[in-house]
Amino acid sequence: MRHLLLLLTISIILSGCLSWAWRGYKKPGPDDFESVSPLTNCMKIGTQNLNEKRKKAIKEATADVCKILASDEFKQRVLAQQWLVSCDLINGQPDVMTGQQVFDLINKKIPDYSVHPRHPWNAIAQTDPANDRVAIKPARIKNWNATDKKERANLINTIAHETMHILSGSFRDGGHGTTECPDARLVSYGIGNLVEELWLASHP
C-alpha cells in the first residue's frame, strides 16, 4: 500500500512539473497563426502568447531554420548517416532510420504550432505534440537580440530541435548523451546541432 501511495505521489508531482510550462497558455484562434517564410514546407507559428518583441524573434529565427531545412547542404548531411529515432532498443536493436527516411519526413509540410514563452521545469524548452505547442524559456528567445552570433544560434538550435518533436512523436530523446545514444546521431539533438552549425557557417 505504501508503495502504491509513493508511486501515486511521484506521478502527481511529475504531472505538475510537466504542466508548469503551460501556465497562462492561451489556445490559438484561426487568425493567430502567422507565416514566417514563403517556403511551402515551413510551418506557421501561433503567436497568440507572444509580445511584439518575442514574436519578431521567433518569426525571424524560424524563417532561418526553414531556410536551412530546405538547403542542399542540409539534405546531403542528413542523407550521409543513419539516425537514431530514440534511445530505445527495438527487439534488442537500436531504434534507427536511414538518412533518406529522416529527410523525407522533414521535407514534408511541417505541422503548424504555437510558441509559449515560459520556462519549463528543468529544461530550456518543452514540446506538447498532442496540442501542437512548444514552450521556450524567455531567456532563450531573448538570445536572438544578442550581438554575439553564437548566442543567437542558441534559439536556432532550440527551434530546430523542438520542431523535430512536433514533426513526429517517434523522435524522442530520453536517455540521450550516452555512448549508446550520442546526441550527434539522435534526430532531435543531431538535427538541432546541424541546423545551428549551418546557420553559423552562413553568418560569418
Side-chain angles (χ1 to χ4, degrees), residues 53-204:
K53 197 168 186 177
R54 289 170 177 164
K55 183 189 299 187
K56 182 175 184 292
I58 290 294
K59 289 176 67 175
E60 289 178 354
T62 302
D64 281 4
V65 168
C66 287
K67 184 177 179 180
I68 291 169
L69 295 180
S71 70
D72 288 337
E73 186 171 3
F74 174 80
K75 177 180 180 179
Q76 294 309 313
R77 293 282 294 276
V78 172
L79 294 179
Q81 72 173 70
Q82 187 179 63
W83 293 85
L84 289 170
V85 177
S86 71
C87 296
D88 300 339
L89 294 178
I90 308 298
N91 297 321
Q93 299 298 316
D95 184 13
V96 298
M97 277 187 179
T98 66
Q100 186 68 61
Q101 289 173 314
V102 172
F103 179 76
D104 287 346
L105 277 174
I106 295 172
N107 199 41
K108 292 180 180 178
K109 175 67 171 68
I110 298 171
D112 302 334
Y113 61 81
S114 294
V115 172
H116 188 42
R118 182 69 68 182
H119 189 177
W121 176 73
N122 200 32
I124 295 295
Q126 180 179 320
T127 301
D128 177 14
N131 292 294
D132 296 321
R133 59 185 183 176
V134 173
I136 301 178
K137 184 179 179 179
R140 177 54 53 94
I141 299 175
K142 190 177 180 180
N143 282 157
W144 192 248
N145 300 315
T147 55
D148 185 343
K149 67 178 182 179
K150 290 183 179 179
E151 285 189 47
R152 301 186 76 213
N154 287 333
L155 183 58
I156 294 289
N157 190 320
T158 297
I159 290 173
H161 176 118
E162 301 304 329
T163 296
M164 295 303 103
H165 291 312
I166 288 286
L167 187 62
S168 174
S170 298
F171 294 154
R172 303 184 307 279
D173 47 34
H176 73 95
T178 65
T179 302
E180 296 78 16
C181 192
D183 289 354
R185 291 191 58 211
L186 191 61
V187 170
S188 59
Y189 277 92
I191 295 299
N193 292 341
L194 174 57
V195 171
E196 177 183 1
E197 176 191 334
L198 295 177
W199 185 87
L200 283 169
S202 67
H203 292 75

